[in-house]
Amino acid sequence: MTYDDDGNHYGFTLSDELIMIRDQVRRFMRDEVKPIEDKLPHDATHCDPADEARLRGIAEEMGLGRLNVPAEYGGQENDCMIRCIVNEEASKCRLGGYRPALGAIRRGPPNIIWRGTPEQVHKYGIPCVEGDMTGYIAITEPTGGSDPRNNIQTRAVKKGDKWILNGRKMWITYAGVSDWGVIFARSREAEDGRPPEITAFIVEPSFPGISFEPIPVIRPLYPYEITLDNCEVPEENLLGEVGAGFGVAEQWLVAGRMPYAAGCIGMAQEALDMACGWVKQRSSQRGLLADKQAIQWMIADSETELRAARMLVYEAASASDRGENAKILASACKLFGTETAFRVVDRAIQMFGGMGVAREMPLERWLRELRIKRIGEGPSEVHRMVIARDKLKNTDGGVYFG
Ligand SMILES: Cc1cc2nc3c(=O)[nH]c(=O)nc-3n(C[C@H](O)[C@H](O)[C@H](O)COP(=O)(O)OP(=O)(O)OC[C@H]3O[C@@H](n4cnc5c(N)ncnc54)[C@H](O)[C@@H]3O)c2cc1C
């Protein structure tokens, strides 16, 4: 067993560098982001652009501004462990992972742009790091997001030096407020038992035939529906090879699952820590809440589950950083991290009683956010299916049935 400098013990040793980064992010959130947040309305998703620019400047000075950028493009390499550590800490603030907080540190576009041509990287990727440009990824459609390989109905047809896109995308985060996005479309139908061919395209809001409509949901940051009506995309905006789209998407999705889970764990850890502070000073039936067994069990279960979820994230992230195929571990992280975090925040609300659902507290906002996290990036059922299929395929029955 090893210990970090807060006295937490881990079966997993965080390097000195990771501990330093975690502490830097923690200080940044406490000293710079929280004072700004404290002045914002409860459901704010952004702050004053001047404040955001100042946060970005501070993050850059601290050396935290380019964690999401590959070294060949002047960044600090896109190391999954670092992204997880950063996400966990950054998500502990009320804005929980939104642009002013997390965006200041992990500046950068959706990571699949780094797989583009040098021209695409310089046109779309670098301005997200050095300027204010933002991007989105649009895979999901009204026909269903759980099985995109078969459910993507948006069609892409080549006409001269352009591709013509027709279809609709649903639930796309940041789509209506971004400078560009990546759309996944069918460039060839399924045939001879083979799935349809999916290709990725970079689109801009100024392209003819593209429009956006916000979809109100339970969290303040609304996703968008995108309509593509004979949308014209120039040939040079093809991202990757024709037909390679699903490989591009899957790589992006798998790489995002560990930091996604880590962010959820951060929110839940903060909720649990807040609840511990509360029950140590709140009384009922002539005794502190902290002394009641019912409360202690909620605390014990929550702390245990969060540690297990964090270990899973570290295991998956380090496997990914070693270049191993982390697909199954990433599904396990996403499943267990999001489900655990939701349960823990729900218990924290219970311990707070009425105060738990008060809008002056971040807890109810985190609960709404975590409700989405159990659906976005693949619902829990789909990750269970992926893990179970792999287990059944690779396990022979153990000692008795093998
Ligand atoms: C707020 C928000 C933001 C989002 N942002 C983006 C984004 O930026 N880009 C993007 O591309 N997508 C985005 N999504 C879409 C998200 O990835 C999909 O909602 C998700 O993949 C599920 O797809 P669906 O909603 O179509 O549900 P369906 O695919 O219709 O599934 C409905 C339910 O059926 C169950 N289910 C599905 N398949 C199975 C199965 N095989 N076995 C058992 N049960 C199953 C699950 O419980 C699932 O929740 C976002 C969604 C939300 C809510």
Side-chain angles (χ1 to χ4, degrees):
M1 188 66 75
T2 52
Y3 296 83
D4 71 10
D5 55 3
D6 281 349
N8 297 316
H9 29 122
Y10 293 111
F12 190 98
T13 314
L14 289 188
S15 66
D16 290 346
E17 188 203 0
L18 286 173
I19 291 174
M20 192 189 76
I21 291 174
R22 183 200 61 194
D23 293 348
Q24 259 185 318
V25 178
R26 195 173 283 178
R27 276 196 304 275
F28 176 73
M29 289 298 144
R30 188 193 57 211
D31 301 341
E32 307 294 344
V33 178
K34 189 160 182 305
I36 292 175
E37 261 186 16
D38 286 346
K39 288 185 245 147
L40 294 175
H42 175 74
D43 258 354
T45 56
H46 57 276
C47 58
D48 188 82
D51 281 336
E52 192 169 328
R54 197 177 63 77
L55 288 178
R56 285 175 157 224
I58 297 168
E60 189 83 39
E61 267 172 36
M62 290 168 81
L64 294 171
R66 289 163 192 248
L67 296 176
N68 232 15
V69 183
E72 59 184 303
Y73 293 114
Q76 289 131 304
E77 210 55 79
N78 200 1
D79 175 320
C80 193
M81 255 322 258
I82 294 182
R83 290 172 61 206
C84 291
I85 300 285
V86 168
N87 269 27
E88 179 171 349
E89 287 309 317
S91 300
K92 289 180 179 175
C93 68
R94 186 159 57 90
L95 284 168
Y98 290 161
R99 251 188 73 165
L102 196 56
I105 304 172
R106 276 193 37 213
R107 286 171 75 178
N111 62 9
I112 65 172
I113 197 66
W114 305 123
R115 299 196 57 197
T117 61
E119 291 74 29
Q120 289 169 343
V121 166
H122 286 287
K123 184 166 180 193
Y124 298 109
I126 303 293
C128 292
V129 182
E130 294 179 351
D132 280 337
M133 221 184 227
T134 53
Y136 62 88
I137 301 284
I139 300 170
T140 309
E141 303 203 353
T143 42
S146 301
D147 182 14
R149 192 184 290 273
N150 293 305
N151 282 345
I152 286 180
Q153 299 294 327
T154 296
R155 301 299 203 275
V157 177
K158 186 87 190 288
K159 258 198 186 159
D161 60 351
K162 288 194 165 55
W163 286 83
I164 309 297
L165 269 51
N166 277 289
R168 278 162 69 212
K169 296 284 173 185
M170 284 286 281
W171 316 113
I172 309 303
T173 309
Y174 289 125
V177 290
S178 288
D179 303 281
W180 56 270
V182 177
I183 302 271
F184 291 80
R186 247 178 217 225
S187 47
R188 200 199 57 219
E189 295 306 315
E191 56 187 20
D192 303 332
R194 281 185 305 166
E197 180 187 84
I198 306 292
T199 300
F201 300 90
I202 306 170
V203 297
E204 295 179 26
S206 60
F207 286 2
I210 188 165
S211 57
F212 306 90
E213 197 60 46
I215 312 171
V217 291
I218 58 173
R219 77 171 181 203
L221 184 75
Y222 291 172
Y224 288 80
E225 177 172 356
I226 306 176
T227 303
L228 300 151
D229 182 8
N230 287 319
C231 175
E232 295 177 16
V233 182
E235 170 74 20
E236 66 264 23
N237 277 31
L238 194 72
L239 182 64
E241 305 284 310
V242 175
F246 206 75
V248 176
E250 193 165 47
Q251 199 183 36
W252 169 72
L253 287 168
V254 168
R257 279 176 193 143
M258 291 74 113
Y260 192 88
C264 297
I265 292 167
M267 287 180 220
Q269 187 69 61
E270 186 62 19
L272 176 62
D273 293 353
M274 285 169 63
C276 288
W278 170 260
V279 299
K280 284 202 283 188
Q281 47 87 47
R282 186 87 171 170
S283 304
S284 170
Q285 313 286 329
R286 291 191 297 280
L288 283 176
L289 287 180
D291 294 331
K292 316 285 179 200
Q293 190 186 52
I295 297 292
Q296 289 182 356
W297 284 24
M298 282 198 270
I299 291 170
D301 288 348
S302 299
E303 178 68 11
T304 306
E305 290 164 22
L306 282 177
R307 282 173 181 253
R310 189 178 293 110
M311 283 301 105
L312 208 42
V313 167
Y314 289 173
E315 186 188 355
S318 49
S320 166
D321 288 344
R322 287 193 302 270
E324 293 166 20
N325 181 347
K327 186 176 170 200
I328 304 302
L329 276 172
S331 279
C333 275
K334 200 293 178 171
L335 167 66
F336 194 62
T338 55
E339 294 282 333
T340 296
F342 184 83
R343 249 190 335 268
V344 169
V345 172
D346 188 51
R347 286 187 197 124
I349 288 177
Q350 197 66 16
M351 288 187 259
F352 268 101
M355 273 307 283
V357 291
R359 285 173 73 84
E360 70 187 79
M361 303 275 283
L363 297 170
E364 64 85 35
R365 177 170 162 154
W366 282 335
L367 194 81
R368 286 184 281 137
E369 182 68 36
L370 289 167
R371 190 65 195 83
I372 288 176
K373 300 283 196 233
R374 292 166 56 201
I375 297 169
E377 306 247 350
S380 298
E381 292 74 16
V382 171
H383 290 292
R384 285 193 178 96
M385 183 191 74
V386 168
I387 297 163
R389 277 186 185 162
D390 175 77
K391 182 70 184 159
L392 288 165
K393 189 168 134 209
N394 293 311
T395 307
D396 60 6
V399 172
Y400 287 99
F401 296 107

